[in-house]
Amino acid sequence: MNEQILVVDDERDMRLLLRYQLEQEGYAVTEASDGKAALKLLRECSPGLIITDVRMPFMSGLELLREAKQILPATEVIVATGYAEVETAIECMRAGAFDLIRKPFNIHEMYACVTRALDRYRLNASADMVRASQSFFETNEFDRIPQAIVEGSRTLMVADAVVLLMQESQGRLQVAHACGLSSEEEGGVLRELGERVVQTLASDRTPALAAPGLEDRRLGSIQALGKGASVILHPLTVGERVLGVLGLLRRDGLRMFGRKELDRAAMLASHVVLALENWRLACQLASSERLATLGQVAAGIGHEINNPTAYVLSNLGYIQEQVVALRQGEPVDLEELEQAVQDAREGSLRISDIVRDMRSLAKTDAEAGGWFELDEAIRSALRIARLETMRQASVETQLPGGLEVKGSPGPVSQVFVNLLVNAAQALEAGEGPRKEIRVTARREADMAVIEVSDTGPGIPAEVLSRLFQPFFTTKGSTGTGLGLSISRNIVRRLGGDISVRSAPGDGTVFIVSLPARPVEGEVPVPVVPSRSTG
């Protein structure tokens, strides 16, 4: 599609000459006789390039340049003048002009200037799209993808407000993330308009554009958004499956969305769909990561269950023998019998604890639950990962009782299982004589700080900076690269964070901080996640 060029000059012959010459080169040209008329046309044609005279009635070329850059920042402007004073050139370049050419101009020089200006316009447009797309995927936190989509779309489309509407299980649209909304009512109107687009997808899968003088029959009136408002609602689909709708709003009548923005929104939507599909797959992987963690330590869990099971069976066998002896009237040591019952009970409780740990780790309950004992989650993780850690190192713990944190034990336990297994695997790769894993917890102000350290070979600096990136792993085909990323997401959603300290040959320390329950007499501090998830 040829880029639109807007020629602005109060001399009719000059406009006609430029139009004729540029159309001969294959460009689509629109013309205006003064700056005010040009501003009206900007809303309709969204040109990639403006060629304007400097001295015109009603509005000078410099004033038009400044106004145009406010309305369409990406549009390039060439200023043509017969009065090429140095001051004029400096002011135009400061205001964002691409170039300044003198009248009467050489037509070949004009062609060259137009070509360069449009090349830069296309290059910048492509670069903006790439940057927006990169922002969707570069976040290390899966839950921030909707926020990245909305913020990137707002920048790319120069929109006043953007809303990402996602289809829930009941089929209705809900706001996944939004920015720039002036009120809840405005968001509600956009959601309602998005619903209308989705309802007509069977017969019309095109995006909807509505603006004063440019209505879409599916949307009806958009007066509730303001007199000069314009809106683009682009359906997000994969085949017949509806993901949602991307809503873009401009409130200023001088900056209304047009057909050109609709084309750009279509390209943007394809990147958004890809990002949302990646997000869906990432969420599925995150949900299965707990089960994958259980699978990783399955052998250890089996070993942990086998030992107390054998202990219970042995004691039950002895109890059965003593019961038979009692029935036959033979003497029985009741103290030993009572001890056997107690031992069997302790073994059963041990099995019960392990099963509870497994169920807690596998549950996908709300991570922002109530307060719970931190020791509970850590000791659960130690039991689950016991065989992995026991084979590689001695494990020392220093856990103060009574320290409560926000959340629920399952997800927090998953964090420490990942850290313990990683520590054990690091020690397996090490060659030093001293192989230790140490878990300590303490209270610092309103935070619980837990350190999981090992005496392994340490982590190189180039790897250290990428540890929390999704899918980054140093374990080859045996690692998913999700454990640390998901662990950090869990902790950050609870208002905490994870950091790491390591150096080659000097071991590694992972530091987990979680909001701690205020002790009696303390003023509670609100638990606020360190990152917005939309």
Side-chain angles (χ1 to χ4, degrees), residues 15 72 113 164 267 271 459 461:
R15 295 199 310 273
L72 298 173
C113 190
L164 177 63
M267 290 189 290
H271 293 274
I459 303 172

Side-chain angles (χ1 to χ4, degrees), residues 291-307:
L291 298 178
T293 302
L294 282 175
Q296 191 174 14
V297 295
I301 292 170
H303 177 80
E304 287 295 294
I305 290 177
N306 282 337
N307 280 349

Side-chain angles (χ1 to χ4, degrees), residues 23 62 103 107 228 264 423 513 525:
E23 285 180 343
L62 179 58
K103 290 181 177 180
I107 194 63
R264 175 171 272 205
S513 60
V525 177

Side-chain angles (χ1 to χ4, degrees), residues 148-192:
I149 288 173
V150 167
E151 292 175 351
S153 299
R154 187 183 187 186
T155 300
L156 179 69
M157 299 299 297
V158 198
D160 294 318
V162 177
V163 60
L164 177 63
L165 303 166
M166 299 290 292
Q167 198 167 48
E168 60 174 13
S169 58
Q170 304 297 326
R172 291 185 57 80
L173 294 178
Q174 294 295 333
V175 176
H177 195 82
C179 66
L181 294 177
S182 61
S183 64
E184 289 186 14
E185 289 75 13
E186 189 173 71
V189 172
L190 288 172
R191 189 185 65 79
E192 182 182 339

Side-chain angles (χ1 to χ4, degrees), residues 11 16 43 56 99 117 145 147 167 241 252 321 328 379 476:
E11 296 182 20
L16 293 176
R43 296 178 295 176
M56 297 183 296
D99 206 348
I145 290 177
Q147 179 183 351
Q167 198 167 48
R241 182 160 53 90
D252 186 355
E321 291 175 1
Q328 295 174 353
R379 295 194 187 281

Side-chain angles (χ1 to χ4, degrees), residues 32-55:
S33 59
D34 58 64
K36 289 189 176 181
L39 289 178
K40 293 180 180 178
L41 288 172
L42 287 183
R43 296 178 295 176
E44 301 172 7
C45 63
S46 298
L49 172 64
I50 300 172
I51 303 174
T52 181
D53 191 17
V54 167
R55 297 198 175 184

